[in-house]
Every structure is written in structure tokens, then in C-alpha cells.
Amino acid sequence: MNTRAVRALRIAGSALLLGALVYLLPRGELLAALRQASLVVLGPAVLAFGLCHVAAASKWRLLMGRSSDVSWSKAVRAHFTGLVGNLSPLGMIGGDLVRAGVAINGSRQASAIMLTSVVDRVIDTAALMLVALGGFAWIGARSRTTNVVLLGGFVVSVAGIAVMLVAHAILQRTQNVRLAGMRNAFQVLLAQPGLMLQALVLSVAIQTTLIAINAYIGRSVGVESAFAAWLLAWPAAKFAAYLPVGFAGFGVRETALVALLAPFGGAAGPVLAAGLLWDVVLIVASVGGWLLCLARTSGSTPAVRVQKT
């Protein structure tokens, strides 16, 4: 199946899921919740989202090490470009590739950048798992759906770590010159476990803040679930969005969130409204941050003076 067909299927998948939610759920509840949306709430949410991802870009740059030739500003620009890439049908994978591609441009350390991009994604997934387990321990599980998706998240985390270990073993034995840079970068990372621990702690803080933003939006439109329920449900919904079903997770994430918050007092209409408003925040903050980075880059480009001879 060609790329266009896959893209069309994923867009159709998201449209069908969202359409089914709007059709099946009480539309009166959804519309009433959406009417409560306010720029007073969404404005700070967009700003907080942007700041969280500046911190996420800094975390990625931290993993590259002090000797990296990628500046902090370039890492931030690459990260926000990747966020815009996340909005493509390829979703997270496409965004990670775009982010790495921007950072690699002009760098002499392409292998290290690609490696740290993979490690960064594994750390973020492990952080989500830790946050979800924290919510699980806090509130306890009263939903079979939550248990299943949480188990899926655990499998994804373990699989990511296993892939990293297998890749390390292969790189240690390979004689391929092209892979030598990646092998050396892997060894540098493994020699600094404290660095990865710092990145994990920072990732947990970032993910918890993003969940708090979601809970803040949800509370503003009538979602009555406790914050502990959000700590459990949101990571699980994000794990569900990893499935290659919809367009950039749209539709999949909202469907999972409606199911996961239901046992914890989350009425379907307000929860769906909160999910749709989160999509607005995600798109506005991602595209806005990317445009700001481009404007800053253009503004810092030194003018070329032409001397008359």
C-alpha cells in the first residue's frame, strides 16, 4: 500500500472515530461543555504547553552531551518543527524524524543525534508509564479498559528498552564504518547513567505538567474527575494513540479518554469537549512555537553587505 493510501486511511480513521463519538454521545452535553470554553483558560494552556516543550527540547539537548555541536536554540527549533511533524499522518514517528533531520542539518554528529532521538523517545515513554503507575497507586484501578491499556503501555516501555539493548549489542559487534558514530554515542550515553536519570526525572515533571494542563481544561468544561484519575487515564490514552489507526492520534486519544475517565466520574460530553480543546491547544502551541522559532532564526541571520566596486 502506498503512502497516499495509508495517509487517506488514517485521516478517514480519525474522522470516523470523532464522527462516531459526536453521533453516539449526548450532543447536548458536548455543546454545553464547549460553550464553557474560554480564552482565559485556553490562553494560559497554550503558553504552558509551549514552555513544557521548550523544557522537552532542553532535555533532548541535555542527552546530546556538552560536546554536541547542536546549539540550544537549534534544538528548540528542531523540536517545535518535530511537533508540527507530529500532526502528519505518520504521527510521532514522522515528528521524531523531522526533529532529528533539522538538528542533523549542518551538524557533524548525525549518528549521535539520531541515537539521542530514539533514547529520548524511550525515556518519555518510560516517564509516562511511571506517571500512570503513580495514578494507579493513588486512585486504584476500577476500569478493565484502563488495566488493558496500562498493560499495553508497560509492554511498549519494555519493548523500547529491549530494542535499545539489542541495538547496543549489534553496534558493539558491527564493523560497519557508518555505524561507528552511533556506537560511540551509545557508549558515551551508557557511561553517564546520571544523565539519563536526569532526563527521566525531567520527563516525568514535563508529562505531569502536561496532564495538569489537561485536567485544568477539563475542569473548566465540567469534567469532575480527580487529578489522580487524570494521572492514570491520560498516559493510557496517549499509549492508545500510539496505535497506527488515526491521523496523529486524533480520534483515538479522545475515544480512549472518554472510556478511561468514565469510571472516575468523567461525563462523556465534557471529557470529549476537553479532548477536542486539547487538540486546539496542541495545534496552536505547536504551530505558533514553530513560527516563533522561524521568525527568530530569520531575524538573527546577519545581513550581507554588498560593497560597490
Side-chain angles (χ1 to χ4, degrees):
M1 188 177 296
N2 60 42
T3 305
R4 288 184 179 179
V6 171
R7 184 183 299 123
L9 283 174
R10 290 191 175 182
I11 292 173
S14 286
L16 284 172
L17 284 170
L18 288 172
L21 282 174
V22 172
Y23 179 76
L24 295 172
L25 299 182
R27 269 172 280 183
E29 284 186 9
L30 173 61
L31 292 174
L34 287 174
R35 288 192 194 102
Q36 297 181 60
S38 166
L39 287 177
V40 175
V41 173
L42 296 181
V46 168
L47 178 60
F49 180 98
L51 291 174
C52 279
H53 281 280
V54 170
S58 301
K59 168 176 61 69
W60 178 44
R61 176 60 186 81
L62 176 72
L63 286 169
M64 295 182 200
R66 295 180 180 178
S67 62
S68 175
D69 59 2
V70 177
S71 67
W72 177 83
S73 60
K74 185 177 182 181
V76 172
R77 176 163 56 87
H79 184 85
F80 275 93
T81 307
L83 287 179
V84 174
N86 285 346
L87 302 177
S88 73
L90 291 176
M92 178 189 68
I93 296 174
D96 284 352
L97 290 174
V98 169
R99 181 178 73 160
V102 173
I104 287 170
N105 185 28
S107 172
R108 298 184 301 275
Q109 299 169 326
S111 297
I113 292 169
M114 288 298 298
L115 176 66
T116 52
S117 295
V118 174
V119 171
D120 188 48
R121 177 58 59 188
V122 172
I123 287 174
D124 281 348
T125 303
L128 275 172
M129 191 66 211
L130 289 174
V131 171
L133 287 173
F136 184 89
W138 187 351
I139 202 170
R142 298 198 294 269
S143 166
R144 181 176 297 178
T145 306
T146 301
N147 293 338
V148 170
V149 180
L150 197 61
L151 177 62
F154 177 75
V155 171
V156 170
S157 300
V158 171
I161 294 170
V163 168
M164 283 179 56
L165 293 175
V166 171
H168 177 251
I170 293 172
L171 289 171
Q172 287 293 93
R173 295 192 175 104
T174 186
Q175 300 299 319
N176 191 318
V177 177
R178 293 182 179 180
L179 296 177
M182 191 170 288
R183 180 181 60 216
N184 295 337
F186 222 137
Q187 290 171 344
V188 169
L189 270 178
L190 291 177
Q192 303 178 81
L195 189 66
M196 287 194 281
L197 181 59
Q198 288 178 49
L200 179 61
V201 171
L202 186 54
S203 184
V204 169
I206 292 168
Q207 297 299 336
T208 303
T209 304
L210 289 171
I211 294 169
I213 297 169
N214 276 274
Y216 170 67
I217 294 171
R219 179 68 64 179
S220 74
V221 296
V223 180
E224 298 180 354
S225 302
F227 182 59
W230 282 94
L231 287 177
L232 178 59
W234 179 254
K238 197 164 184 178
F239 286 135
Y242 285 175
L243 296 172
V245 177
F247 175 81
F250 296 131
V252 181
R253 186 169 46 243
E254 290 78 11
T255 302
L257 199 60
V258 167
L260 294 165
L261 282 178
F264 305 108
V271 171
L272 177 56
L276 294 174
L277 291 171
W278 171 255
D279 291 339
V280 172
V281 168
L282 185 154
I283 293 169
V284 171
S286 298
V287 175
W290 174 63
L291 291 174
L292 282 174
C293 288
L294 287 183
R296 186 179 182 279
T297 302
S298 300
S300 63
T301 302
V304 178
R305 296 182 179 179
V306 179
Q307 295 181 348
K308 294 182 179 180
T309 56

